[in-house]
Amino acid sequence: MRGNIGQLMKQAQQMQENMRRMQEQLGSIEVEGQAGSGAIKVVMTCKHEVRRVTIDPALGAEDREMLEDLLIAAFNDAARKVEETVSEKMGGMTAGLGLPAGFKLPF
């Protein structure tokens, strides 16, 4: 019995260290969200930090409302890609845990 608990504790500590390393790594992974066929681009880290916003000069500033809508779409696209990337990276780490569907780590 004691050996099982010791083994579980060792596995938990190893998983915690792996999670810490993964969190650090996610801060350096960048994804790009786009809108308007690439006229607006948003580069974001997997920690949801925006690094760059690029607006094609051909868009002009005449239609400010359209520009705002395209920016929102590009940010949302980047955020969706962040979630996909994080799920992909974390999936291997949590594969053997038997977590219920929809359960996300880190908490």
Side-chain angles (χ1 to χ4, degrees), residues 58-79:
L59 283 178
E62 294 83 43
D63 193 353
R64 187 171 181 82
E65 193 172 319
M66 181 187 73
L67 184 60
E68 291 169 349
D69 290 344
L70 288 173
L71 277 168
I72 290 167
F75 276 100
N76 288 337
D77 186 46

Side-chain angles (χ1 to χ4, degrees), residues 8-105:
L8 283 173
M9 290 298 290
K10 189 181 258 187
Q11 287 176 341
Q13 287 173 342
Q14 185 177 11
M15 190 173 90
Q16 186 176 24
E17 177 61 23
N18 290 343
M19 292 288 286
R20 185 192 62 74
R21 272 191 254 126
M22 180 60 69
Q23 288 292 324
E24 288 175 9
Q25 187 180 33
L26 288 174
S28 64
I29 297 173
E30 293 182 347
V31 298
E32 181 181 87
Q34 296 185 19
S37 299
I40 304 280
K41 296 178 183 176
V42 174
V43 175
M44 179 184 287
T45 70
C46 284
K47 287 193 163 197
H48 293 92
E49 296 171 351
V50 176
R51 294 284 169 93
R52 282 182 304 284
V53 175
T54 307
I55 302 170
D56 187 334
L59 283 178
E62 294 83 43
D63 193 353
R64 187 171 181 82
E65 193 172 319
M66 181 187 73
L67 184 60
E68 291 169 349
D69 290 344
L70 288 173
L71 277 168
I72 290 167
F75 276 100
N76 288 337
D77 186 46
R80 181 186 51 76
K81 288 178 180 175
V82 163
E83 293 304 317
E84 289 172 1
T85 303
V86 170
S87 291
E88 181 182 303
K89 297 285 183 189
M90 299 297 269
M93 195 177 290
T94 60
L97 295 178
L99 297 174
F103 194 79
K104 290 184 178 181
L105 286 176

